[in-house]
Amino acid sequence: MGSRVVGKWVVANAVEIDYVDGAEVFRADMFALSGAYLEFSEGQKGSIYDGEGDVDAFTYTATKENLVLKYIDGDDITTYHIKELTSSTLSVYEEHIETQKGIVHKEVVEIKLMK
């Protein structure tokens, strides 16, 4: 699976969607700078380029369902769930869920990348 993601993937768009108890309460396009991309290399290493010159290096594992990025600087880990993976399109999402006073809050970030 990892070999299918190897390459440079340019951020085409990104959307944040917030839900409260399953109902959508917020949706917004996230600002992605021109030139932002993720690059996956052989050997399960990669980099995120933000379009402003900042680079974050990571190691990754890829399965049919998920891409898990572990950042080199620090202990941060991001799990992207794969919605679509073709030779030219990679659509992923990540979600954060928490319950506060019995109310379920979920934030979903969807990112579409193009090769």
Side-chain angles (χ1 to χ4, degrees):
M1 179 63 187
S3 63
R4 292 190 60 203
V5 299
V6 169
K8 179 179 175 179
W9 295 89
V10 177
V11 177
N13 63 41
V15 177
E16 176 185 340
I17 309 162
D18 295 340
Y19 301 89
V20 175
D21 280 340
E24 184 177 319
V25 296
F26 177 80
R27 178 182 291 260
D29 288 333
M30 297 177 68
F31 181 70
L33 293 175
S34 177
Y37 64 92
L38 279 78
E39 187 162 25
F40 297 92
S41 301
E42 296 287 345
Q44 298 181 315
K45 295 184 181 191
S47 301
I48 295 175
Y49 299 84
D50 69 359
E52 290 186 322
D54 291 329
V55 178
D56 288 318
F58 58 83
T59 59
Y60 71 92
T61 56
T63 67
K64 184 177 179 183
E65 296 87 21
N66 298 312
L67 275 172
V68 179
L69 281 56
K70 184 174 189 296
Y71 297 91
I72 303 296
D73 293 331
D75 296 326
D76 292 339
I77 296 174
T78 301
T79 300
Y80 290 111
H81 305 283
I82 299 171
K83 287 176 63 172
E84 178 184 17
L85 175 58
T86 68
S87 61
S88 62
T89 301
L90 173 59
S91 293
V92 297
Y93 68 96
E94 66 173 319
E95 58 186 15
H96 303 281
I97 301 171
E98 63 181 50
T99 302
Q100 299 173 350
K101 298 181 181 177
I103 298 171
V104 178
H105 298 266
K106 180 168 76 168
E107 177 187 279
V108 178
V109 174
E110 297 178 354
I111 304 170
K112 183 174 184 179
L113 303 120
M114 307 298 290
K115 206 170 213 184

mmCIF file with all atom_site columns, all heavy atoms in Angstrom, residues 82-93:
data_model
loop_
_atom_site.group_PDB
_atom_site.id
_atom_site.type_symbol
_atom_site.label_atom_id
_atom_site.label_alt_id
_atom_site.label_comp_id
_atom_site.label_asym_id
_atom_site.label_entity_id
_atom_site.label_seq_id
_atom_site.pdbx_PDB_ins_code
_atom_site.Cartn_x
_atom_site.Cartn_y
_atom_site.Cartn_z
_atom_site.occupancy
_atom_site.B_iso_or_equiv
_atom_site.pdbx_formal_charge
_atom_site.auth_seq_id
_atom_site.auth_comp_id
_atom_site.auth_asym_id
_atom_site.auth_atom_id
_atom_site.pdbx_PDB_model_num
ATOM 1  N N   . ILE A 1 82 ? -8.355  7.195  4.676   1.00 0.00 ? 82 ILE A N   1
ATOM 2  C CA  . ILE A 1 82 ? -8.358  7.338  3.220   1.00 0.00 ? 82 ILE A CA  1
ATOM 3  C C   . ILE A 1 82 ? -9.769  7.172  2.676   1.00 0.00 ? 82 ILE A C   1
ATOM 4  O O   . ILE A 1 82 ? -10.402 6.142  2.888   1.00 0.00 ? 82 ILE A O   1
ATOM 5  C CB  . ILE A 1 82 ? -7.406  6.318  2.569   1.00 0.00 ? 82 ILE A CB  1
ATOM 6  C CG1 . ILE A 1 82 ? -5.983  6.557  3.065   1.00 0.00 ? 82 ILE A CG1 1
ATOM 7  C CG2 . ILE A 1 82 ? -7.483  6.395  1.043   1.00 0.00 ? 82 ILE A CG2 1
ATOM 8  C CD1 . ILE A 1 82 ? -4.991  5.473  2.652   1.00 0.00 ? 82 ILE A CD1 1
ATOM 9  N N   . LYS A 1 83 ? -10.262 8.211  1.991   1.00 0.00 ? 83 LYS A N   1
ATOM 10 C CA  . LYS A 1 83 ? -11.562 8.136  1.314   1.00 0.00 ? 83 LYS A CA  1
ATOM 11 C C   . LYS A 1 83 ? -11.397 7.640  -0.111  1.00 0.00 ? 83 LYS A C   1
ATOM 12 O O   . LYS A 1 83 ? -12.211 6.888  -0.617  1.00 0.00 ? 83 LYS A O   1
ATOM 13 C CB  . LYS A 1 83 ? -12.228 9.520  1.279   1.00 0.00 ? 83 LYS A CB  1
ATOM 14 C CG  . LYS A 1 83 ? -12.762 9.991  2.595   1.00 0.00 ? 83 LYS A CG  1
ATOM 15 C CD  . LYS A 1 83 ? -13.313 11.397 2.521   1.00 0.00 ? 83 LYS A CD  1
ATOM 16 C CE  . LYS A 1 83 ? -14.495 11.512 1.599   1.00 0.00 ? 83 LYS A CE  1
ATOM 17 N NZ  . LYS A 1 83 ? -15.142 12.829 1.664   1.00 0.00 ? 83 LYS A NZ  1
ATOM 18 N N   . GLU A 1 84 ? -10.323 8.120  -0.773  1.00 0.00 ? 84 GLU A N   1
ATOM 19 C CA  . GLU A 1 84 ? -10.076 7.752  -2.173  1.00 0.00 ? 84 GLU A CA  1
ATOM 20 C C   . GLU A 1 84 ? -8.581  7.806  -2.438  1.00 0.00 ? 84 GLU A C   1
ATOM 21 O O   . GLU A 1 84 ? -7.899  8.726  -2.008  1.00 0.00 ? 84 GLU A O   1
ATOM 22 C CB  . GLU A 1 84 ? -10.806 8.727  -3.106  1.00 0.00 ? 84 GLU A CB  1
ATOM 23 C CG  . GLU A 1 84 ? -10.574 8.464  -4.572  1.00 0.00 ? 84 GLU A CG  1
ATOM 24 C CD  . GLU A 1 84 ? -11.224 9.495  -5.488  1.00 0.00 ? 84 GLU A CD  1
ATOM 25 O OE1 . GLU A 1 84 ? -11.585 10.594 -5.020  1.00 0.00 ? 84 GLU A OE1 1
ATOM 26 O OE2 . GLU A 1 84 ? -11.352 9.185  -6.675  1.00 0.00 ? 84 GLU A OE2 1
ATOM 27 N N   . LEU A 1 85 ? -8.100  6.815  -3.165  1.00 0.00 ? 85 LEU A N   1
ATOM 28 C CA  . LEU A 1 85 ? -6.707  6.804  -3.592  1.00 0.00 ? 85 LEU A CA  1
ATOM 29 C C   . LEU A 1 85 ? -6.656  6.229  -5.002  1.00 0.00 ? 85 LEU A C   1
ATOM 30 O O   . LEU A 1 85 ? -6.979  5.067  -5.218  1.00 0.00 ? 85 LEU A O   1
ATOM 31 C CB  . LEU A 1 85 ? -5.836  5.971  -2.652  1.00 0.00 ? 85 LEU A CB  1
ATOM 32 C CG  . LEU A 1 85 ? -4.375  5.788  -3.073  1.00 0.00 ? 85 LEU A CG  1
ATOM 33 C CD1 . LEU A 1 85 ? -3.666  7.129  -3.241  1.00 0.00 ? 85 LEU A CD1 1
ATOM 34 C CD2 . LEU A 1 85 ? -3.643  4.906  -2.067  1.00 0.00 ? 85 LEU A CD2 1
ATOM 35 N N   . THR A 1 86 ? -6.310  7.106  -5.962  1.00 0.00 ? 86 THR A N   1
ATOM 36 C CA  . THR A 1 86 ? -6.115  6.687  -7.344  1.00 0.00 ? 86 THR A CA  1
ATOM 37 C C   . THR A 1 86 ? -4.708  7.104  -7.741  1.00 0.00 ? 86 THR A C   1
ATOM 38 O O   . THR A 1 86 ? -3.959  7.633  -6.919  1.00 0.00 ? 86 THR A O   1
ATOM 39 C CB  . THR A 1 86 ? -7.146  7.342  -8.297  1.00 0.00 ? 86 THR A CB  1
ATOM 40 O OG1 . THR A 1 86 ? -6.876  8.749  -8.380  1.00 0.00 ? 86 THR A OG1 1
ATOM 41 C CG2 . THR A 1 86 ? -8.583  7.106  -7.825  1.00 0.00 ? 86 THR A CG2 1
ATOM 42 N N   . SER A 1 87 ? -4.360  6.925  -8.992  1.00 0.00 ? 87 SER A N   1
ATOM 43 C CA  . SER A 1 87 ? -3.020  7.324  -9.437  1.00 0.00 ? 87 SER A CA  1
ATOM 44 C C   . SER A 1 87 ? -2.830  8.840  -9.407  1.00 0.00 ? 87 SER A C   1
ATOM 45 O O   . SER A 1 87 ? -1.698  9.319  -9.388  1.00 0.00 ? 87 SER A O   1
ATOM 46 C CB  . SER A 1 87 ? -2.753  6.791  -10.836 1.00 0.00 ? 87 SER A CB  1
ATOM 47 O OG  . SER A 1 87 ? -3.689  7.327  -11.745 1.00 0.00 ? 87 SER A OG  1
ATOM 48 N N   . SER A 1 88 ? -3.932  9.616  -9.366  1.00 0.00 ? 88 SER A N   1
ATOM 49 C CA  . SER A 1 88 ? -3.800  11.076 -9.394  1.00 0.00 ? 88 SER A CA  1
ATOM 50 C C   . SER A 1 88 ? -4.527  11.805 -8.264  1.00 0.00 ? 88 SER A C   1
ATOM 51 O O   . SER A 1 88 ? -4.371  13.007 -8.114  1.00 0.00 ? 88 SER A O   1
ATOM 52 C CB  . SER A 1 88 ? -4.309  11.614 -10.736 1.00 0.00 ? 88 SER A CB  1
ATOM 53 O OG  . SER A 1 88 ? -5.683  11.311 -10.888 1.00 0.00 ? 88 SER A OG  1
ATOM 54 N N   . THR A 1 89 ? -5.325  11.097 -7.457  1.00 0.00 ? 89 THR A N   1
ATOM 55 C CA  . THR A 1 89 ? -6.108  11.733 -6.398  1.00 0.00 ? 89 THR A CA  1
ATOM 56 C C   . THR A 1 89 ? -5.928  10.986 -5.082  1.00 0.00 ? 89 THR A C   1
ATOM 57 O O   . THR A 1 89 ? -5.992  9.758  -5.046  1.00 0.00 ? 89 THR A O   1
ATOM 58 C CB  . THR A 1 89 ? -7.610  11.737 -6.750  1.00 0.00 ? 89 THR A CB  1
ATOM 59 O OG1 . THR A 1 89 ? -7.804  12.431 -7.975  1.00 0.00 ? 89 THR A OG1 1
ATOM 60 C CG2 . THR A 1 89 ? -8.432  12.419 -5.664  1.00 0.00 ? 89 THR A CG2 1
ATOM 61 N N   . LEU A 1 90 ? -5.713  11.759 -4.025  1.00 0.00 ? 90 LEU A N   1
ATOM 62 C CA  . LEU A 1 90 ? -5.670  11.219 -2.676  1.00 0.00 ? 90 LEU A CA  1
ATOM 63 C C   . LEU A 1 90 ? -6.587  12.084 -1.822  1.00 0.00 ? 90 LEU A C   1
ATOM 64 O O   . LEU A 1 90 ? -6.311  13.260 -1.608  1.00 0.00 ? 90 LEU A O   1
ATOM 65 C CB  . LEU A 1 90 ? -4.245  11.227 -2.121  1.00 0.00 ? 90 LEU A CB  1
ATOM 66 C CG  . LEU A 1 90 ? -4.056  10.844 -0.657  1.00 0.00 ? 90 LEU A CG  1
ATOM 67 C CD1 . LEU A 1 90 ? -4.579  9.434  -0.381  1.00 0.00 ? 90 LEU A CD1 1
ATOM 68 C CD2 . LEU A 1 90 ? -2.596  10.968 -0.254  1.00 0.00 ? 90 LEU A CD2 1
ATOM 69 N N   . SER A 1 91 ? -7.704  11.520 -1.389  1.00 0.00 ? 91 SER A N   1
ATOM 70 C CA  . SER A 1 91 ? -8.643  12.225 -0.513  1.00 0.00 ? 91 SER A CA  1
ATOM 71 C C   . SER A 1 91 ? -8.613  11.553 0.847   1.00 0.00 ? 91 SER A C   1
ATOM 72 O O   . SER A 1 91 ? -8.796  10.336 0.951   1.00 0.00 ? 91 SER A O   1
ATOM 73 C CB  . SER A 1 91 ? -10.063 12.182 -1.083  1.00 0.00 ? 91 SER A CB  1
ATOM 74 O OG  . SER A 1 91 ? -10.142 12.933 -2.265  1.00 0.00 ? 91 SER A OG  1
ATOM 75 N N   . VAL A 1 92 ? -8.356  12.364 1.873   1.00 0.00 ? 92 VAL A N   1
ATOM 76 C CA  . VAL A 1 92 ? -8.246  11.851 3.233   1.00 0.00 ? 92 VAL A CA  1
ATOM 77 C C   . VAL A 1 92 ? -9.052  12.734 4.177   1.00 0.00 ? 92 VAL A C   1
ATOM 78 O O   . VAL A 1 92 ? -9.429  13.851 3.833   1.00 0.00 ? 92 VAL A O   1
ATOM 79 C CB  . VAL A 1 92 ? -6.776  11.802 3.709   1.00 0.00 ? 92 VAL A CB  1
ATOM 80 C CG1 . VAL A 1 92 ? -5.948  10.855 2.863   1.00 0.00 ? 92 VAL A CG1 1
ATOM 81 C CG2 . VAL A 1 92 ? -6.150  13.193 3.720   1.00 0.00 ? 92 VAL A CG2 1
ATOM 82 N N   . TYR A 1 93 ? -9.307  12.196 5.368   1.00 0.00 ? 93 TYR A N   1
ATOM 83 C CA  . TYR A 1 93 ? -9.921  13.010 6.401   1.00 0.00 ? 93 TYR A CA  1
ATOM 84 C C   . TYR A 1 93 ? -9.394  12.571 7.759   1.00 0.00 ? 93 TYR A C   1
ATOM 85 O O   . TYR A 1 93 ? -8.933  11.453 7.938   1.00 0.00 ? 93 TYR A O   1
ATOM 86 C CB  . TYR A 1 93 ? -11.456 12.925 6.361   1.00 0.00 ? 93 TYR A CB  1
ATOM 87 C CG  . TYR A 1 93 ? -12.024 11.584 6.754   1.00 0.00 ? 93 TYR A CG  1
ATOM 88 C CD1 . TYR A 1 93 ? -12.450 11.339 8.057   1.00 0.00 ? 93 TYR A CD1 1
ATOM 89 C CD2 . TYR A 1 93 ? -12.130 10.546 5.836   1.00 0.00 ? 93 TYR A CD2 1
ATOM 90 C CE1 . TYR A 1 93 ? -12.965 10.111 8.424   1.00 0.00 ? 93 TYR A CE1 1
ATOM 91 C CE2 . TYR A 1 93 ? -12.647 9.321  6.187   1.00 0.00 ? 93 TYR A CE2 1
ATOM 92 C CZ  . TYR A 1 93 ? -13.061 9.106  7.489   1.00 0.00 ? 93 TYR A CZ  1
ATOM 93 O OH  . TYR A 1 93 ? -13.569 7.885  7.847   1.00 0.00 ? 93 TYR A OH  1
#
